[in-house]
Amino acid sequence: MDDVYHYSIENVRTQIAAQSAVLGVYELRFYVEGGRPSRENTGQVDTFYYYPSGGTIRDRDMNIMYYEPKLDIYHTSSRDA
């Protein structure tokens, strides 16, 4: 899958590599279904926010959508990845 709008850890990493954090937060764009990032092409893209210090993906209202240990810079498995 070459489409970086499909939700995956790899696509989170691809998107953050192409930008700088603003106040420690990265802006991400993913297909959305039911208000959550989707692994499928739904035809609708929305903005989400990645917080590396907690490994969380949040929506526009700052609700936690996902906690990804592999993306948490303080989690041991993220250092091993």
Side-chain angles (χ1 to χ4, degrees):
M1 249 187 269
D2 293 324
D3 191 342
V4 297
Y5 297 128
H6 291 99
Y7 180 76
S8 71
I9 290 174
E10 181 180 317
N11 285 340
V12 169
R13 288 180 175 154
T14 298
Q15 288 189 42
I16 64 174
Q19 61 180 292
S20 298
V22 177
L23 299 174
V25 178
Y26 292 87
E27 188 173 289
L28 307 173
R29 308 238 333 131
F30 293 112
Y31 292 114
V32 64
E33 184 171 5
R36 299 182 70 83
S38 175
R39 295 183 187 277
E40 304 297 322
N41 182 342
T42 63
Q44 182 180 1
V45 176
D46 205 350
T47 303
F48 296 90
Y49 302 93
Y50 163 59
Y51 289 74
S53 63
T56 57
I57 307 293
R58 296 174 180 258
D59 67 8
R60 289 181 180 274
D61 296 323
M62 297 301 124
N63 297 308
I64 296 174
M65 299 285 98
Y66 294 107
Y67 165 66
E68 296 287 0
K70 290 182 179 179
L71 296 173
D72 186 342
I73 61 172
Y74 296 113
H75 192 272
T76 55
S77 69
S78 65
R79 287 184 237 139
D80 300 332

